[in-house]
Amino acid sequence: PDPAGVLPPGLNVSFVDRSQGTNDLVPIRYFWDFGDGQTTTTTTRATDESPLVHRYLLPGFYTVSLEVTFQN
């Protein structure tokens, strides 16, 4: 809700990483592609408690991908 009309048109969408690994793999980088030309890289996992939020400015269908890089 934006009763004051301050936010630009669009929709905020929350993402959570549900990928699974093994105990011997330590994730060090998360690369998100939101399918609208925008990407972001983080070093922390998006969780239910702390999701990654992206704002889509145009209506449509988007394919989102997540690439996780693990420590050698």
Side-chain angles (χ1 to χ4, degrees):
D2 183 25
V6 177
L7 296 175
L11 176 68
N12 286 337
V13 179
S14 296
F15 294 96
V16 174
D17 171 19
R18 300 252 187 251
S19 63
Q20 296 180 356
T22 61
N23 290 339
D24 58 334
L25 295 175
V26 178
I28 58 172
R29 183 178 75 102
Y30 300 86
F31 175 79
W32 293 85
D33 184 333
F34 299 106
D36 62 352
Q38 301 296 312
T39 63
T40 193
T41 301
T42 66
T43 57
T44 56
R45 185 176 190 185
T47 64
D48 288 327
E49 295 78 24
S50 182
L52 181 66
V53 178
H54 177 70
R55 186 169 188 83
Y56 287 95
L57 298 178
L58 299 173
F61 294 93
Y62 300 95
T63 299
V64 178
S65 63
L66 169 62
E67 179 181 305
V68 180
T69 301
F70 295 93
Q71 185 175 12
N72 291 336

